[in-house]
């Protein structure tokens, strides 16, 4: 087996949380104000159910998703669907990649052009993208302790400024805005498609469905906690505070005495953020290998990263437009590949149950 259930739990907890610490809370506060927690709850409730459905299916069959498709529709259709999944994972990497470019340029290298500061990412991405599922599991083993320690430290530094009254009154925002916030941010919820890639590649043991699902739900609770802390600190001016994770610890009293220790924490957290970003590229490469039968990951990693690099140059000064496009339309793609596909797996031929 290429990965184990423990590592999948780490991925579903860590990457779910860390991929939503930059602009997610800021965007929702602009739409829903102090009720920003409710669209988060809606989206996580939907996708946690889908994650459970896939995990429970893994308890019924040892087949991979490709194997299920092949047995049901034939090899040609299976290859075509994996080609579409490769496009989806590459598409899913675009927004977080541009988000990271903006973040790195503004927070870490504000005197260097953001594009120039971000280019070294592709050296790491080409290397990581050429690796398989076993490498993804090892990255998760590294990411979890870093994330837990650093996030706990940042929350500790932010606690002194929290004013929960900023979250009141509850549910005074019109329902249309709450659902608009849930729909506009749905494109971020790609994790059920991760489970499609893990199917058949780990040895299922009794209780794994509950463990993986609870890990994903735990990641969601961390996101809700962070959004609550962020809005409790900044209140009505939250929509003007980009890259929320870099803002919540700014008022920690000890910073005046010992300097910007929060920046050190953010540097460490960037390790987990990069692993969470590159997993989409790794899955795109995995799907391309299955689609074409050409198992040389380095070639496909170069190809995917070359396309993404070209997009970075093209979209360098168009992040606002990109954000509007993903908020308005990308939920459709996510609904197909991270909602419909996982649920339709139950209609595929599973063969004999375990």
């Amino acid at each position: 087996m290429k990965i184990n259930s423990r590592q999948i739990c780490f991925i579903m907890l860590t990457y779910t949380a860390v991929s939503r610490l930059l602009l997610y809370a800021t965007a929702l506060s602009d739409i829903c104000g102090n009720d920003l927690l409710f669209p988060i709850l809606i989206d996580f409730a939907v996708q946690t159910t889908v994650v459970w459905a896939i995990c429970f299916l893994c308890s019924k069959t040892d087949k991979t998703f490709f194997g299920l498709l092949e047995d049901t529709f034939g090899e040609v259709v299976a290859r075509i669907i994996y080609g579409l999944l490769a496009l989806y994972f590459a598409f899913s990497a675009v927004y977080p990649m541009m988000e990271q470019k903006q973040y790195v340029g503004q927070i870490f290298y504000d005197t260097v052009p953001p594009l120039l500061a971000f280019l070294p990412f592709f050296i790491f991405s080409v290397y990581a993208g050429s690796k398989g599922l076993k490498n993804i599991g090892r990255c998760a083993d590294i990411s979890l302790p870093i994330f837990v320690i650093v996030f706990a430290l940042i929350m500790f530094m932010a606690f002194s400024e929290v004013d929960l009254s900023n979250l009141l009154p509850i549910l005074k925002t019109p329902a249309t805005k709450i659902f608009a916030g849930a729909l506009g941010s749905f494109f971020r919820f790609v994790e059920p498609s991760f489970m499609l890639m893990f199917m058949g590649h780990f040895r299922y043991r009794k209780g794994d469905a509950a463990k993986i699902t609870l890990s994903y739900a735990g990641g969601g609770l961390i996101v809700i906690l962070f959004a609550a802390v962020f809005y409790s600190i900044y209140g009505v001016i939250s929509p003007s505070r980009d890259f929320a994770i870099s803002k919540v610890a700014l008022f920690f009293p000890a910073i005046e005495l010992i300097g910007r220790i929060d920046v050190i924490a953010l540097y460490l957290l960037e390790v987990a953020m990069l692993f969470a970003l590159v997993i989409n590229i790794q899955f795109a490469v995995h799907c391309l290998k299955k689609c074409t039968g050409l198992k040389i990951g380095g070639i496909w990693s170069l190809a995917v990263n070359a396309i993404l690099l070209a997009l970075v140059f093209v979209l360098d000064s168009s992040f606002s437009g990109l954000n509007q496009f993903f908020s308005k339309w990308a939920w459709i793609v996510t609904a197909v590949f991270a909602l419909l596909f996982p649920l339709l797996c139950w209609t595929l031929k599973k063969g004999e149950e375990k």
Side-chain angles (χ1 to χ4, degrees):
M1 293 294 175
K2 298 180 179 180
I3 195 169
N4 59 56
S5 57
R6 183 198 76 249
Q7 293 169 328
I8 295 174
C9 288
F10 289 176
I11 288 170
M12 300 306 279
L13 174 69
T14 306
Y15 294 0
T16 296
V18 81
S19 61
R20 293 166 173 83
L21 298 181
L22 298 182
L23 295 177
Y24 185 41
T26 301
L28 286 177
S29 67
D30 187 35
I31 300 171
C32 306
N34 65 307
D35 284 323
L36 78 165
L37 305 184
F38 292 97
I40 302 175
L41 277 170
I42 292 170
D43 284 340
F44 269 109
V46 171
Q47 294 301 69
T48 299
T49 304
V50 179
V51 167
W52 174 83
I54 291 295
C55 293
F56 189 59
L57 180 60
C58 291
S59 71
K60 303 297 183 182
T61 178
D62 289 322
K63 293 181 180 179
T64 63
F65 183 50
F66 188 89
L68 291 175
L69 292 170
E70 188 176 27
D71 291 347
T72 305
F73 302 113
E75 183 181 6
V76 174
V77 173
R79 288 179 182 271
I80 291 172
I81 290 176
Y82 261 66
L84 294 174
L85 280 166
L87 292 174
Y88 169 65
F89 284 119
F91 174 78
S92 297
V94 173
Y95 185 88
M97 179 184 66
M98 296 301 295
E99 189 179 50
Q100 271 289 324
K101 183 181 80 69
Q102 298 292 115
Y103 172 66
V104 168
Q106 289 189 30
I107 305 303
F108 298 134
Y109 304 104
D110 55 343
T111 60
V112 179
L115 179 60
L116 186 61
F118 190 69
L119 288 180
F121 160 77
F122 288 98
I123 299 173
F124 164 72
S125 182
V126 169
Y127 172 76
S130 65
K131 302 299 179 181
L133 295 179
K134 187 174 291 187
N135 178 264
I136 291 175
R138 290 171 179 168
C139 292
D141 286 331
I142 296 170
S143 298
L144 179 73
I146 293 174
F147 170 72
V148 169
I149 294 171
V150 174
F151 184 77
L153 177 62
I154 291 175
M155 288 297 98
F156 171 76
M157 289 190 288
F159 183 76
S160 63
E161 295 298 318
V162 167
D163 181 3
L164 293 177
S165 66
N166 283 329
L167 294 170
L168 301 175
I170 295 174
L171 287 179
K172 292 298 183 180
T173 303
T176 53
K177 287 191 174 183
I178 290 177
F179 284 106
L183 193 64
S185 57
F186 192 70
F187 70 89
R188 298 176 181 272
F189 288 77
V190 301
E191 291 80 15
S193 60
F194 293 175
M195 289 306 305
L196 292 180
M197 299 296 99
F198 292 139
M199 281 186 66
H201 292 294
F202 71 101
R203 183 174 288 106
Y204 185 92
R205 294 182 175 86
K206 185 177 180 180
D208 279 349
K211 293 175 184 176
I212 295 171
T213 304
L214 288 173
S215 296
Y216 184 63
L221 290 176
I222 291 172
V223 174
I224 291 171
L225 169 65
F226 174 73
V229 169
F230 171 65
Y231 200 89
S232 295
I233 294 173
Y234 287 102
V236 294
I237 66 171
S238 296
S240 65
R241 296 297 180 265
D242 291 338
F243 309 117
I245 190 64
S246 68
K247 301 294 193 297
V248 294
L250 285 177
F251 305 109
F252 183 53
I255 287 179
E256 296 182 2
L257 299 175
I258 57 179
R260 292 295 304 278
I261 57 173
D262 61 311
V263 175
I264 299 174
L266 293 175
Y267 268 113
L268 292 172
L269 190 62
E270 186 66 14
V271 174
M273 286 186 175
L274 289 178
F275 284 141
L277 169 56
V278 84
I279 193 173
N280 288 294
I281 298 170
Q282 291 172 310
F283 282 141
V285 171
H286 172 76
C287 290
L288 285 171
K289 290 193 290 185
K290 296 294 289 185
C291 172
T292 62
L294 184 61
K295 303 297 184 180
I296 305 175
I299 293 176
W300 294 121
S301 182
L302 278 171
V304 172
N305 278 282
I307 294 171
L308 293 176
L309 178 60
L311 288 174
V312 167
F313 279 98
V314 171
L315 301 172
D316 183 38
S317 58
S318 306
F319 183 72
S320 178
L322 181 73
N323 185 57
Q324 291 181 16
F325 169 78
F326 269 80
S327 298
K328 288 183 178 180
W329 304 109
W331 67 268
I332 300 173
V333 182
T334 304
V336 172
F337 289 96
L339 182 60
L340 188 61
F341 270 33
L343 293 178
L344 288 179
C345 278
W346 278 91
T347 66
L348 303 178
K349 294 180 180 178
K350 299 183 288 294
E352 295 184 4
E353 290 194 2
K354 292 183 183 179

